[in-house]
Amino acid sequence: MSKSGRNPVKSGISGNNNTFYWVIAFFVVALIGFGDAVYLTATHYLGIMPECSVIQGCDIVAMSEYSTIGPVPVSLFGILFYAFMMTISVAWFDTRKPVLFRYLPFITVPAFLFSMWLIYVMLFIIRALCIYCLLSAATTTILMLLSFRLRLLTVG
Amino acid sequence: MKKRVLIWGGFIALLIIIILMMVQMVSMDSGIQEENVASENLQTEIPDILQPKPDDRKKGNSNASVVIVKYSDFQCPACRFYASFDDHLSTEMGEDVLFVYRHFPLRSFPYTRLAAQYAEAAGEQGKFWEMHDLIYINQQYWSQGGAEDVFRQFAEMLELDMDQLREDLTLPELNERIQSDYQSGVDLGVNAVPTLFINGRQVRNPNSLDAYRDLIRSYLD
């Protein structure tokens, strides 16, 4: 047993039962973002245009020059980001250390800003929208909001 | 300790499952695109709809053993890449390959149909490819607005007869040709641009010039 305690209900210092559910939410949102980013990266490396039924333009956005940074697809950065966010959540489930969430906004805010830039590119430069990219922007935004909530709950 | 293994083991297993699921989904999406490599099917007949028509816009050797029919849109950024690929490869392999350009103007782009009309009108004066190249190279410029003025400037640069051009732009046949290209694409199930058919078969879009060259070579061997 660590000092901070493993039981979410009894632990008052590093998070209570309430925190537990917030972390679950954080994890689930990151998981959705992760699946989305893996899908986009897979289409990139397998040379397939992403299919899109709701909003037109996935193929256009995903094949545009803005979809990669050098040879690396943007969605691969997404995978790393979401995987890291999930790892933080799992580390919290494991250790219950509040410090894990202390610096989270330092990652989620730049990620959010980057997402906003990509939305700008889609709307005003490429002029096509890609549903998978919008989903990713949504998950990044929610993760940012949740990261502030978690920081508040655990660090205070 | 046991709990820790369970948490982290479960997490890693979950990630692997998600990755496998998504890759599986993508390969299912690709469907027809799977049969990408020229194989024993080389000898199969090319369906009529993919045979080069007399009024198709073509570049390369008409008797070439490899015929690439491309459905493309002037305002789509991906199409711009493939236009430059085609430009490179037609210089390199023009003796062995026939490149056919067919219009597939997407509704989501405001100027794409206008671009197609100008290209076709330039084609009436024998300068389709010159106009095609100018339109694609400057895509980012005219996509911002004022496209028609830019296209007119291109026509002047190409020393087209401007009166003739204006007249040709009003020809119903011009729109009919674009529409018939579009319709043939729809009939073939084209739902993204650019879509490439090599010797009658839809192929997965190669994602680099080298990959495109290798793909064409696989049909030449």
Side-chain angles (χ1 to χ4, degrees), chain A:
Chain A
M1 275 292 203
S2 68
K3 272 183 190 168
S4 55
R6 293 265 168 98
N7 190 329
V9 184
K10 285 176 188 166
S11 168
I13 311 161
S14 60
N16 49 29
N17 206 18
N18 202 7
T19 313
F20 181 80
Y21 291 112
W22 283 104
V23 181
I24 291 274
F26 189 81
F27 181 83
V28 170
V29 174
L31 189 68
I32 294 169
F34 180 78
D36 183 42
V38 169
Y39 178 81
L40 279 174
T41 309
T43 59
H44 177 90
Y45 283 112
L46 296 175
I48 292 158
M49 305 261 175
E51 296 283 328
C52 217
S53 49
V54 190
I55 301 177
Q56 267 200 337
C58 287
D59 50 334
I60 300 156
V61 177
M63 289 301 284
S64 86
E65 61 205 277
Y66 298 96
S67 70
T68 54
I69 296 175
V72 185
V74 170
S75 49
L76 193 60
F77 291 106
I79 292 188
L80 296 177
F81 169 70
Y82 294 116
F84 186 58
M85 292 299 106
M86 284 191 286
T87 309
I88 296 271
S89 324
V90 174
W92 183 84
F93 287 125
D94 182 16
T95 64
R96 304 288 158 131
K97 285 189 177 147
V99 69
L100 286 165
F101 295 128
R102 185 187 291 261
Y103 303 107
L104 213 50
F106 289 97
I107 306 161
T108 55
V109 171
F112 167 75
L113 293 176
F114 186 61
S115 256
M116 289 300 107
W117 155 247
L118 291 177
I119 295 269
Y120 167 80
V121 167
M122 276 192 282
L123 281 177
F124 298 107
I125 302 181
I126 311 176
R127 285 166 197 254
L129 284 173
C130 145
I131 185 89
Y132 301 104
C133 317
L134 289 176
L135 177 65
S136 186
T139 51
T140 310
T141 310
I142 299 171
L143 285 181
M144 181 193 64
L145 297 173
L146 288 175
S147 74
F148 280 108
R149 178 78 192 138
L150 286 173
R151 191 176 169 304
L152 213 67
L153 276 171
T154 52
V155 186

Side-chain angles (χ1 to χ4, degrees), chain B residues 24-122:
Chain B
Q24 178 67 21
M25 244 173 85
V26 172
S27 16
M28 269 163 64
D29 274 355
S30 68
I32 34 170
Q33 300 176 352
E34 279 301 295
E35 296 143 13
N36 201 17
V37 184
S39 55
E40 64 278 2
N41 297 315
L42 261 180
Q43 302 306 321
T44 49
E45 288 252 319
I46 299 177
D48 283 348
I49 193 167
L50 284 166
Q51 295 281 4
K53 295 174 291 165
D55 65 345
D56 266 332
R57 298 299 175 185
K58 299 179 278 271
K59 190 156 69 167
N61 181 354
S62 310
N63 300 314
S65 59
V66 176
V67 178
I68 303 178
V69 177
K70 179 176 71 174
Y71 284 85
S72 188
D73 172 301
F74 277 112
Q75 207 172 341
C76 121
C79 300
R80 180 159 59 94
F81 285 105
Y82 286 91
S84 75
F85 291 170
D86 283 355
D87 188 42
H88 266 95
L89 295 175
S90 64
T91 321
E92 245 176 71
M93 309 167 114
E95 278 302 300
D96 305 313
V97 184
L98 179 68
F99 292 88
V100 177
Y101 185 96
R102 287 191 185 162
H103 300 282
F104 199 78
L106 295 182
R107 253 172 264 119
S108 47
F109 293 122
Y111 303 118
T112 187
R113 213 161 252 277
L114 190 69
Q117 287 163 347
Y118 266 84
E120 281 298 329

